[in-house]
Amino acid sequence: MMHQADDPNIRKYLHELDARLRHLPAEQSEEILQGITDHISDALSRGSSSVADVPGSLGTPEEVARGAAAERVPTATPPWRESTPWVVLTTLLLVFGGFIAGFGWFLGLAGLWMGTRWKLWEKIVGTVVLPGGLAGAVTILVVPVSYTSLTSESVTLTPDSSMASGAEVLGPVLSIIATIATLALPLIVGIYLLIVGLRREQTTMRAAQLTA
Amino acid sequence: MYGLDIAGKLRGHGLLTSEGTLYPLLARLLRGGHVDTSWRESGQGAPRKYYSLTPAGKEALLTFVDAWGVFSHSVSDILKPVGGHDS
């Protein structure tokens, strides 16, 4: 009997089922797997079915997992990760977090990816558009400015400095527009994420109620 | 009763085509406090996990029996003109 239960086909079956139950809390998936395992060894020891019959009588791992699918929503995400304070705090940290000892933005990033109210592309935009948020934007602006001011000081020494001549060609108007745009970008993205996140409150609540 | 036993009984009544789907259901009942499990020695081989109804489970069952009586009566009433030759 032990040899039969150790059959590679049965091990493969249990392995597939395990993979499909991964979204459940460990306690639940272990309970289900244990039940199935006992069922198989029981059936085999009784001699009422053979190894080849197992998937046929039990159903495919997919079918079994589908029976557990309804379990997912009420237990998987802690409610605070879909809450309104979570949305507000996350967007604040994304925009202004860079000023908090430099790492506040990373907390915001974690909040963004752990949150449930944003779509994948919104998470990507929130990550890619100006890492560091407003602090990142300020850094981008300050670093080249100090760099160009350094090089323009040395213009007399090295007149062919491309950085200095590039800044002169751009002119003050363009650089002001670029400055405003750079500062505005993280703000716009932050406000967008906030609005979208707050608007989805009702839909997520409704979905949770439906599946509960 | 233990898993294979329950599955066999349901299958005998034609209520269970894929026996494996029983276990997510049992896990849910266990989590909801409607059933309890205990390990008992079986005559042959390894000990088995037996499922039994908890008081809460019995209460839920009685509620269901009541509701089901009313429900099935109503449905057969509604369906009477469809299925019968007397329509």
Side-chain angles (χ1 to χ4, degrees):
Chain A
M1 168 210 131
M2 279 319 277
H3 309 294
Q4 279 184 307
D6 273 350
D7 186 274
N9 285 323
I10 288 180
R11 251 183 298 155
K12 187 168 162 250
Y13 181 93
L14 292 172
H15 188 75
E16 268 175 45
L17 181 62
D18 187 26
R20 287 183 188 274
L21 296 175
R22 207 158 281 161
H23 63 274
L24 290 177
E27 199 187 308
Q28 292 282 107
S29 59
E30 274 165 23
E31 180 69 30
I32 295 169
L33 272 171
Q34 160 113 77
I36 298 274
T37 313
D38 289 353
H39 182 107
I40 293 172
S41 62
D42 240 1
L44 291 178
S45 73
R46 210 182 259 190
S48 56
S49 60
S50 68
V51 170
D53 296 336
V54 165
S57 64
L58 280 174
T60 63
E62 200 183 349
E63 282 174 293
V64 177
R66 214 179 295 141
E71 299 282 302
R72 179 168 45 191
V73 177
T75 48
T77 36
W80 45 272
R81 267 169 54 191
E82 41 195 69
S83 68
T84 298
W86 183 276
V87 171
V88 175
L89 194 65
T90 295
T91 45
L92 281 177
L93 280 171
L94 272 179
V95 178
F96 302 107
F99 295 112
I100 306 171
F103 67 87
W105 179 78
F106 290 100
L107 294 179
L109 195 63
L112 179 68
W113 284 92
M114 284 165 70
T116 56
R117 299 235 199 131
W118 295 289
K119 292 174 184 164
L120 181 64
W121 71 266
E122 290 164 348
K123 291 178 176 179
I124 292 171
V125 168
T127 308
V128 172
V129 177
L130 286 187
L134 213 50
V138 170
T139 313
I140 288 172
L141 291 171
V142 168
V143 170
V145 164
S146 57
Y147 184 68
T148 45
S149 64
L150 273 177
T151 47
S152 52
E153 270 172 39
S154 57
V155 156
T156 43
L157 293 170
T158 53
D160 56 340
S161 165
S162 55
M163 275 302 289
S165 57
E168 278 160 26
V169 172
L170 261 178
V173 179
L174 270 178
S175 67
I176 287 172
I177 293 174
T179 305
I180 294 172
T182 312
L183 286 174
L185 261 174
L187 280 174
I188 292 169
V189 171
I191 291 169
Y192 174 78
L193 289 175
L194 183 66
I195 291 173
V196 165
L198 291 179
R199 258 195 206 155
R200 294 211 177 107
E201 176 182 24
Q202 288 169 333
T203 46
T204 47
M205 297 291 278
R206 214 174 298 140
Q209 275 167 0
L210 275 176
T211 45
Chain B
M1 288 175 96
Y2 55 93
L4 191 64
D5 219 10
I6 302 172
K9 196 153 202 170
L10 287 173
R11 176 162 263 207
H13 287 286
L15 285 173
L16 194 64
T17 45
S18 302
E19 292 178 354
T21 55
L22 173 69
Y23 295 95
L25 186 65
L26 283 174
R28 198 180 312 169
L29 289 172
L30 185 67
R31 195 181 57 141
H34 290 113
V35 298
D36 223 344
T37 56
S38 58
W39 289 93
R40 277 183 234 163
E41 291 295 328
S42 63
Q44 16 145 342
R48 284 186 180 130
K49 192 186 225 174
Y50 280 77
Y51 293 85
S52 55
L53 278 176
T54 61
K58 275 180 193 145
E59 206 172 299
L61 178 63
L62 288 177
T63 312
F64 175 77
V65 168
D66 280 348
W68 178 254
V70 176
F71 178 73
S72 64
H73 190 76
S74 310
V75 171
S76 29
D77 257 5
I78 293 168
L79 293 182
K80 211 175 270 169
V82 183
H85 313 278
D86 50 347
S87 61

